[in-house]
Amino acid sequence: MVTLPLEDLDVELTASTAGPWQTVVWNDPVNLMSYVVHVFREYFGFTSERAHTLMLAVHHEGHAIVAEGAREQMELHAAAMHDYGLWATVREAP
């Protein structure tokens, strides 16, 4: 077995949770727009205006970024959206 000194290794270490990360809510043919506004207000605590703006983005653009931060927190948000019946994913911010 050959052992190389650590300084001889050319390794780039990056955390798998490098970020920031985003929670994205996607449009679906099932949920009413008023329900999406309700979820955004209840779960995220958005104002009525902010929730409505995000809902319109979901409706017209097909998706909206509803949160950004640490990966673990974004995964919790996505899971909560699933619990409400919304389609959500997590992605690394560009």
Side-chain angles (χ1 to χ4, degrees):
M1 180 171 164
V2 176
T3 305
L4 295 174
L6 289 178
E7 58 272 0
D8 289 344
L9 296 176
D10 186 19
V11 177
E12 182 178 330
L13 299 176
T14 57
S16 64
T17 58
W21 292 79
Q22 298 172 330
T23 300
V24 182
V25 173
W26 298 88
N27 194 25
D28 65 60
V30 177
N31 292 296
L32 297 174
M33 291 186 282
S34 59
Y35 178 69
V36 175
V37 169
H38 165 75
V39 170
F40 290 169
R41 293 197 69 204
E42 182 173 297
Y43 179 78
F44 291 106
F46 293 143
T47 64
S48 180
E49 295 79 18
R50 179 73 177 141
H52 188 77
T53 298
L54 288 169
M55 175 277 297
L56 287 176
V58 170
H59 181 70
H60 293 296
E61 299 169 27
H63 70 284
I65 299 165
V66 296
E68 189 169 303
R71 182 177 183 172
E72 294 79 14
Q73 185 62 52
M74 297 307 102
E75 289 172 350
L76 290 173
H77 290 329
M81 294 300 96
H82 297 163
D83 290 343
Y84 279 102
L86 301 182
W87 179 28
T89 58
V90 174
R91 69 180 184 196
E92 193 167 9

